[in-house]
Amino acid sequence: MSCEGFNPEQWVKVYGIDAFGRYKYFATCQAEEVEAALSAIPSHWWIDYFLEPIDEHDIV
């Protein structure tokens, strides 16, 4: 999934998906920051990612 379609200021939770279909939470950030957040994670760990839009009031 890409950030396309998201407002750049939309807050999202970023999850990585590994080769076995398992997912792991990476970060909460604005859509415009997703690529930077993903670049901080070793690329061999994940094969894809998905974003969960959240309300900025739900940021923990």
Side-chain angles (χ1 to χ4, degrees):
M1 174 179 227
S2 72
C3 297
E4 200 171 302
F6 283 96
N7 177 324
E9 295 179 1
Q10 170 69 50
W11 285 91
V12 295
K13 287 187 178 181
V14 183
Y15 295 88
I17 304 171
D18 70 13
F20 302 103
R22 297 177 297 209
Y23 63 91
K24 181 176 180 176
Y25 168 80
F26 281 154
T28 298
C29 61
Q30 290 181 305
E32 64 189 1
E33 300 169 328
V34 169
E35 294 302 321
L38 290 174
S39 70
I41 311 298
S43 62
H44 69 275
W45 186 90
W46 53 278
I47 60 171
D48 205 357
Y49 67 96
F50 70 92
L51 306 176
E52 176 185 14
I54 60 171
D55 187 331
E56 66 182 279
H57 302 297
D58 294 333
I59 298 170
V60 188

